[in-house]
Each structure stands twice: as structure tokens, then as C-alpha cells.
Amino acid sequence: MAQNPNLAALSAAGVSVWLDDLSRDRLRSGNLQELIDTHSVVGVTTNPSIFQAALSNGNAYDAQVSELAERGADVDATIRTVTTDDVREACDVLRPQWEASDGVDGRVSIEVDPRLAHETDKTILQAIELWKIVDRPNLLIKIPATEAGVPAIASVLAEGISVNVTLIFSVERYRLVMDAYLQGLEKAKEAGHDISKIHSVASFFVSRVDTEIDKRLEKIGSDDALALRGQAGVANARLAYAAYEEVFLGGDRFRALADAGARVQRPLWASTGVKNPDYSDTLYVTELVAPNTVNTMPEKTMDAVADHGVVTGDTITGTAGAAQAVFDKLDAIGIDLRDVFLLLENEGVEKFEKSWQELLDATQDQLDAAAK
């Protein structure tokens, strides 16, 4: 089967195309394999909201949940079994992409329980547990970049475990994430791990930044404020890429690790589904093209890129000055960026906790029904 030319062009420009979705139906129907064959997909990301939607729709999980109910499994064990089974199967589907890319792609992510987002030690323990349960070298453990998450990231990497750092909104926090990655690699190297096998991506959330800042700009309501709508998300990601270049392409600390086989921690653009219908539905893909990046897309966004996305090559390198100018204007007009990023982080954790609770409740109902 031929690859879609627009997504193939994105891949050729250095962007790894990952699907931001997973379900048993997608696995068993062959849809994931089809997207690999036709849409240049080389990775999959999941989160609590994705699993909540997957388990709540249809009956693909009914037989397994009934079997677990008969065994006396509680709701947490049931969800852990069901989700890790899906992720393990997805890892196996993507194994050829992992091998072909020397471990860079072919990756599948699973997130620690979002209720642990503010608990460092419990996050570390669950990350290690999930790594052992899935037992696939192309797994990534997702850990949020909360204040408690950052030290957990370093500790989990030090164990030789590959990590997808999620819920990053500010460049300031991203710098702490990159530092945690380097610290984790240094400790892993000291412990005798082969650091060439440790991979990481740093997931920068894009569309949510525009959604929140646009709301504040509209409240200000001046022409200057309204003219800045839809610019912050892309500018923020471009500034993040400049920070990535500084640390990984020009930094002495990483160079010492690279000599021992270390890989760069790639920036990943997440939350790339466009929420404002006034904006191009491919905005957070075509405007964020650069080497050594990942774009994880919901299928709707991927289909839009496949249909009419215009990929013109690198649209990030060299844009840091213009991106900073956008932020300077936002600051001058009265947008409190620090407050925006703190709010978005807290909301992100709350949304995932809510989805997880809905998943717990729905699964408990299934277990109760199966036990009757």
C-alpha cells in the first residue's frame, strides 16, 4: 500500500507521525496496521481520556472484564490488565518500525495513574511496575511534568526505563524536564545501563495554550489584543524547539553523554487537534515541522493533513526571534503567561483524573454486572 504523500512529506522533513489514540477495536480490525502502511504512522500515544473512551464504547472488552470478574479482580487490577494488554499488543504491531529506526520510533506510550501526578515516589513505583508488566523494549512510560513529576522522571530514566514526559506547557518547565533527562542518563550510565537504549520525548501541549490565551485576549478586546489570537501555541512550541537546540545540539553536558551513546530527547507536539474552527485544521502540524520532532495526532487531524495539509519543509528553525516577539506583545498587553501555564497544568491533571475516575466507575459497573 502506498503512503499518503502529505504525511510522507512530513516524515521526510524529520517529523515522526504518531497516532494519539488506541483501542482494542483499532488493534483487532487491523486499522492501526493500515495507518502504519498508508499514513506513515510510526508510534502511538495513549492517555487516561483515550482509555476511558475505548473502554466505554462498544463491547470489545466485555469478555475480558467478565473473566477478570470471575477471578475476583478489583477495578484497579482490571484496568491495569486491560490497558497494558492493549499497549503490549500495539508495541508488537509497531515492532518493525522500532527495529527499522534503531529504537527511535515504533514507540507506544502508557501513562501512570493521573491520581499520582503530585506524588513522586508512587509515580516512580508505578512507572517501574508498568514497564515490567508490558515488558516490551519499545514502550514509553508517560509521566507528567508536574513539580512532583520532574524528579520522578529523572529517577525512572536512571532505572534504564524510557519515558514520555507529558503535560508540558511552558519553556521554563521544559528546561527542568531536559535537565531531568540529562540527570537520569548520567545516573543510568553510572549504574551500568546501556544509555543508547534509553529514549525519551518531551510532550509540549499546543492547542490548549491558544484556547486559554485567546479567551483572555478576547476579554481584553482591543484590536491589538484580537490580532494576537491563534499565535501563542505555535510561538510557544517554536521557543521550546530553540531550547531543545541549545541543550542537545550545542550543550556540553549532553555532548559528554552522546559520546557514550545517548540519544536526544525529542520534542513532541501534543494536543494538536485544532479547537477553534476559525483556524486551519492542520495549523499545529504544518507550522511545527522540524528535524527530530514528533507530532502525535488524533485521527481527525491526521486525516486533515492527509487530505489537504501543505508541508513545505522546516517551519521552525530560525523562528525563535519572531516567536519571542509574540510573547513580548502578549506580555505588554497584559497576558500573565505564568498564570496561563500554571492553570493549564492544573487543568490538564484534573481532566485526566476525571477521565480516570469515569473509567473506574464504568469498569466497576461492568465488574458488578458480570458478578451477578
Side-chain angles (χ1 to χ4, degrees):
M1 284 184 274
Q3 294 286 1
N4 174 273
N6 296 344
L7 290 160
L10 191 63
S11 180
V15 181
S16 292
V17 177
W18 290 8
L19 174 69
D20 192 28
D21 191 51
L22 185 65
S23 67
R24 193 155 296 179
D25 283 336
R26 194 183 286 282
L27 286 162
R28 300 291 162 83
S29 68
N31 173 262
L32 177 57
Q33 185 61 56
E34 182 182 347
L35 291 174
I36 293 167
D37 295 338
T38 64
H39 282 54
S40 298
V41 168
V42 290
V44 166
T45 49
T46 68
N47 62 44
S49 300
I50 285 169
F51 279 131
Q52 188 270 331
L55 271 81
S56 300
N57 296 325
N59 53 13
Y61 300 92
D62 290 357
Q64 185 176 21
V65 171
S66 295
E67 182 187 331
L68 289 164
E70 287 177 19
R71 287 196 228 153
D74 65 16
V75 66
D76 287 301
T78 299
I79 290 171
R80 185 166 56 248
T81 299
V82 167
T83 56
T84 54
D85 280 0
D86 278 5
V87 167
R88 187 183 305 108
E89 188 172 338
C91 282
D92 291 343
V93 172
L94 282 153
R95 182 77 180 230
Q97 285 65 41
W98 178 77
E99 292 173 349
S101 64
D102 191 26
V104 173
D105 283 311
R107 296 275 169 178
V108 184
S109 298
I110 188 169
E111 190 154 346
V112 295
D113 186 331
R115 295 172 297 178
L116 306 179
H118 303 298
E119 299 190 55
T120 303
D121 292 342
K122 289 183 179 178
T123 292
I124 294 166
L125 289 173
Q126 193 180 79
I128 294 169
E129 179 187 36
L130 289 170
W131 181 259
K132 289 177 178 175
I133 291 171
V134 176
D135 192 25
R136 293 295 185 271
N138 49 332
L139 179 68
L140 291 172
I141 303 295
K142 284 179 87 171
I143 299 174
T146 56
E147 287 187 12
V150 171
I153 290 157
S155 295
V156 172
L157 288 161
E159 296 290 329
I161 295 170
S162 295
V163 174
N164 175 344
V165 183
T166 188
L167 283 178
I168 307 172
F169 293 98
S170 71
V171 175
E172 180 183 24
R173 184 60 57 86
Y174 177 43
R175 288 187 178 279
L176 295 178
V177 166
M178 290 189 287
D179 184 72
Y181 177 61
L182 297 175
Q183 183 184 329
L185 287 181
E186 287 162 352
K187 289 183 176 178
K189 183 169 175 280
E190 286 173 18
H193 292 290
D194 179 356
I195 60 173
S196 71
K197 306 295 187 198
I198 303 172
H199 287 253
S200 183
V201 292
S203 297
F204 231 81
F205 280 48
V206 186
S207 67
R208 294 186 194 182
V209 173
D210 273 337
T211 299
E212 180 59 29
I213 289 181
D214 282 3
K215 186 166 65 177
R216 299 184 186 207
L217 290 169
E218 285 161 8
K219 189 173 181 181
I220 294 169
S222 67
D223 289 345
D224 287 346
L226 297 177
L228 287 168
R229 287 178 298 181
Q231 296 186 44
V234 168
N236 197 36
R238 288 174 170 175
L239 288 171
Y241 191 78
Y244 153 80
E245 290 182 304
E246 177 191 324
V247 170
F248 291 106
L249 305 188
D252 291 338
R253 187 177 176 191
F254 178 69
R255 190 175 298 117
L257 289 162
D259 289 343
R263 315 297 187 106
V264 299
Q265 181 188 52
R266 293 185 294 168
L268 179 151
W269 314 129
S271 184
T272 55
V274 176
K275 295 174 175 61
N276 188 330
D278 294 336
Y279 303 156
S280 163
D281 55 2
T282 64
L283 172 67
Y284 304 125
V285 179
T286 57
E287 294 304 308
L288 293 176
V289 178
N292 271 335
T293 57
V294 180
N295 196 306
T296 187
M297 309 174 210
E299 192 167 19
K300 183 179 177 183
T301 301
M302 191 176 291
D303 287 343
V305 176
D307 181 65
H308 53 265
V310 180
V311 179
T312 57
D314 190 338
T315 53
I316 297 182
T317 305
T319 63
Q324 185 59 52
V326 170
F327 270 47
D328 292 343
K329 289 176 184 176
L330 290 167
D331 182 57
I333 215 159
I335 300 298
D336 184 343
L337 293 165
R338 186 179 291 270
D339 181 69
V340 167
F341 296 137
L342 180 61
L343 175 77
L344 289 172
E345 180 183 304
N346 290 335
E347 279 186 352
V349 172
E350 286 168 11
K351 284 176 182 175
F352 283 164
E353 283 181 342
K354 181 173 182 285
S355 293
W356 198 254
Q357 189 58 52
E358 289 171 355
L359 176 57
L360 287 166
D361 292 343
T363 305
Q364 186 63 61
D365 288 344
Q366 286 183 279
L367 288 169
D368 291 344
K372 289 177 182 175

